[in-house]
Amino acid sequence: MIDSDNISGGDSQGGGSNSHGSEMSPREHKQSLDFGNNCNQNSLRSEKVRNHIPNDLAFSVLSKLPLKSLKRFGCVCQTWALLFENPHFMSKFRTNFISHCHSHYIDTSLLVYEVIRYDDYTENFSFYSLSGKRYENRVKLDFPCPFQVENSYYFIYCDTITGTVCLKLRNTIVLWKPTTHEFKFIPSSPVESVSPYREFQVFCHGFGYDHIRDDIKIITFTAFAPLWQSPRCLQLLQQLGVRREDVPWNEISCEPVWEIYSLRCNSWKKLDFDMPNCWDDSWSYKRLYTEGVCHWWSDREDLLVSFDLRNEMFFTTAIPLDISDTDPDLWLRKFLAMLNGSIASILWYTTYFHISILGELGVNESWTKLFVVGPLLNIQRVVGMGKNGDIFFKTKDGKLVLLDLSTGIIEDMGFKGGHAYDIAIFKENNILMAGINL
């Protein structure tokens, strides 16, 4: 008789096959196979459980991702590729998108520019700082106007990193730092005085901070027209003491010029390439700055032009005009903004506002429409974005109101009778602007 204990012990000590036992019976062999099959089946079931993620759990995790990552995960499976067509998922994604405050808004307030126009066409303009959870704290800023004129000026943009505001009146650009009460008049570019026989107009396209060089930069596009096209041609030539027929009109260049200004160097530099431009620089509607890059909306091609201040190169992203309630008799209005840290486009004709966000710069297909807001019957136009999901509008009777995207509630901000408003996120910075201009 063979002792089974000894067989076990021999196996464990020898580490090899059983050299003393007899062959298995058919019944024992079948039991052994059955045991092995059961182990394999259990292993497969465990593997399937480990590889399977319930849709509800997957949707909950995916709805918290940035749009760029979410777009890329569409290649994992068909269900994930169709997430943006799933109303349940999109509702979760929208809620998460506007409910988490982006780091861009930490320790910031809202800068409001208000222009009031009277019956005699005189104007009064003011800056306010709004803070608090619902912007309930309002402080009027001390602003001695640097332009020495009564007309209002154009508020270009505010750089949240340095706390500097860029203003423009006609062809004059001024930087203003509210916390240090500094003003800096930007010198005229040399190209403006090359020839006295042409007129020019400066369009400010970008303004922001280059953290690599610790510098504030401004991007401009200057367009020229020969003086003979001006209705003031004869008057201007008389001032110059020149007869019209004596001017070499064919030799005067009217090619537009792109330039970039450096506050650190206090000088202009010509950019030796062309870019799609924006002809409207009257307000900040179609320009924004984020993380070292200036963006503007080029009207002719409907492109987002992104200019990197660090390497002074640009690239473009097509902006889809994805709006269903078209009206051929009305002008499609466009607005470029920052919505909770993401670049957003807003399109509208009258009462419905279509809001899309960009997932990745340079990737045309990464735009996603998140909201269609409306009908908003008494709204004239979009003014700007606040924190999270706050959108500011100007009403037809001159009020400034706030729409909370998370609740759909509209609040009156207490500004009444304004001819125009503009808004920017503002962060106080006590470092002197003169410290950059060495």
Side-chain angles (χ1 to χ4, degrees):
M1 181 179 292
I2 299 173
D3 189 346
S4 60
D5 289 339
N6 289 337
I7 294 175
S8 299
D11 284 344
S12 63
Q13 293 173 5
S17 61
N18 181 4
S19 59
H20 300 286
S22 60
E23 294 183 3
M24 287 185 183
S25 68
R27 181 178 179 181
E28 290 173 333
H29 182 66
K30 181 177 184 304
Q31 289 175 343
S32 176
L33 291 175
D34 289 344
F35 177 77
N37 289 335
N38 288 336
C39 287
N40 289 335
Q41 289 174 4
N42 289 336
S43 177
L44 288 172
R45 289 193 194 100
S46 299
E47 190 67 27
K48 288 180 178 178
V49 169
R50 285 195 297 268
N51 290 338
H52 176 69
I53 303 175
N55 282 340
D56 287 347
L57 178 58
F59 284 5
S60 178
V61 173
L62 292 170
S63 67
K64 296 180 174 66
L65 293 177
L67 182 60
K68 178 180 178 178
S69 301
L70 192 56
K71 287 281 188 179
R72 291 182 173 182
F73 285 156
C75 64
V76 173
C77 63
Q78 186 177 8
T79 302
W80 290 11
L82 300 175
L83 283 176
F84 294 100
E85 299 176 20
N86 185 318
H88 175 62
F89 174 80
M90 288 305 296
S91 177
K92 279 179 171 290
F93 183 78
R94 291 187 196 98
T95 301
N96 288 327
F97 179 79
I98 60 178
S99 61
H100 296 92
C101 183
H102 193 274
S103 59
H104 176 73
Y105 305 103
I106 296 176
D107 297 327
T108 61
S109 59
L110 201 67
L111 192 66
V112 178
Y113 172 49
E114 178 190 43
V115 178
I116 296 178
R117 179 174 292 175
Y118 301 103
D119 293 338
D120 59 357
Y121 293 100
T122 59
E123 295 176 336
N124 180 45
F125 38 87
S126 305
F127 275 100
Y128 296 87
S129 173
L130 273 59
S131 61
K133 188 175 181 180
R134 300 312 301 160
Y135 315 103
E136 64 272 11
N137 305 318
R138 183 196 302 185
V139 176
K140 186 174 182 179
L141 300 181
D142 181 22
F143 180 75
C145 179
F147 293 109
Q148 305 300 318
V149 293
E150 296 300 324
N151 301 82
S152 64
Y153 41 86
Y154 297 139
F155 171 68
I156 300 301
Y157 207 67
C158 175
D159 171 31
T160 55
I161 298 175
T162 64
T164 307
V165 180
C166 184
L167 308 171
K168 178 174 178 284
L169 177 65
R170 302 186 184 94
N171 292 323
T172 301
I173 301 173
V174 173
L175 299 183
W176 170 47
K177 192 154 186 176
T179 52
T180 60
H181 308 288
E182 292 175 280
F183 283 101
K184 166 66 177 178
F185 276 85
I186 304 303
S188 299
S189 164
V191 302
E192 297 174 10
S193 56
V194 169
S195 171
Y197 304 120
R198 61 180 184 179
E199 291 188 312
F200 65 91
Q201 184 173 355
V202 177
F203 296 88
C204 192
H205 277 64
F207 157 72
Y209 179 66
D210 174 3
H211 73 273
I212 300 296
R213 296 170 181 81
D214 186 28
D215 196 3
I216 293 176
K217 296 180 177 179
I218 303 171
I219 310 162
T220 62
F221 173 81
T222 304
F224 299 93
L227 199 58
W228 60 264
Q229 292 182 352
S230 170
R232 301 184 299 120
C233 178
L234 292 178
Q235 177 186 351
L236 294 172
L237 289 177
Q238 286 176 357
Q239 293 175 0
L240 293 170
V242 178
R243 296 185 305 171
R244 181 186 177 109
E245 56 270 23
D246 294 335
V247 178
W249 298 109
N250 295 333
E251 300 175 11
I252 299 172
S253 173
C254 289
E255 289 294 317
V257 176
W258 284 98
E259 292 180 290
I260 186 166
Y261 169 81
S262 163
L263 178 62
R264 176 168 288 280
C265 301
N266 194 31
S267 63
W268 291 91
K269 180 177 70 175
K270 184 178 178 182
L271 298 173
D272 295 325
F273 51 82
D274 193 20
M275 295 183 283
N277 69 298
C278 176
W279 288 104
D280 181 12
D281 77 340
S282 55
W283 299 87
S284 63
Y285 306 163
K286 296 178 182 177
R287 289 178 303 278
L288 60 88
Y289 163 84
T290 174
E291 298 178 353
V293 182
C294 296
H295 310 272
W296 60 87
W297 190 321
S298 176
D299 293 307
R300 290 184 177 179
E301 302 93 342
D302 283 308
L303 292 173
L304 175 70
V305 184
S306 303
F307 185 95
D308 194 324
L309 295 175
R310 296 158 292 191
N311 58 23
E312 298 183 358
M313 301 296 290
F314 81 99
F315 53 95
T316 62
T317 311
I319 305 176
L321 303 184
D322 184 14
I323 181 168
S324 55
D325 51 328
T326 58
D327 191 330
D329 296 327
L330 294 175
W331 172 43
L332 177 62
R333 302 189 180 191
K334 308 167 186 177
F335 195 100
L336 187 65
M338 182 72 69
L339 179 59
N340 206 16
S342 294
I343 295 174
S345 71
I346 305 179
L347 303 170
W348 77 98
Y349 282 101
T350 51
T351 59
Y352 285 92
F353 297 79
H354 299 249
I355 305 172
S356 300
I357 62 171
L358 179 63
E360 185 172 358
L361 285 170
V363 181
N364 299 343
E365 300 78 18
S366 66
W367 288 97
T368 298
K369 183 179 288 189
L370 280 192
F371 302 95
V372 178
V373 180
L376 303 179
L377 301 179
N378 191 37
I379 298 301
Q380 185 181 78
R381 69 169 186 85
V382 179
V383 172
M385 297 290 194
K387 302 178 182 181
N388 296 5
D390 297 335
I391 307 180
F392 290 83
F393 297 91
K394 180 195 172 200
T395 64
K396 294 177 181 177
D397 54 354
K399 295 180 181 178
L400 181 67
V401 298
L402 162 65
L403 169 67
D404 186 337
L405 280 176
S406 62
T407 63
I409 296 175
I410 295 179
E411 303 174 39
D412 189 332
M413 298 303 297
F415 291 85
K416 304 181 187 300
H419 171 69
Y421 299 100
D422 212 335
I423 278 177
I425 300 295
F426 176 73
K427 189 170 187 175
E428 291 189 359
N429 185 316
N430 291 314
I431 298 176
L432 291 174
M433 187 163 48
I436 292 179
N437 184 17
L438 300 176

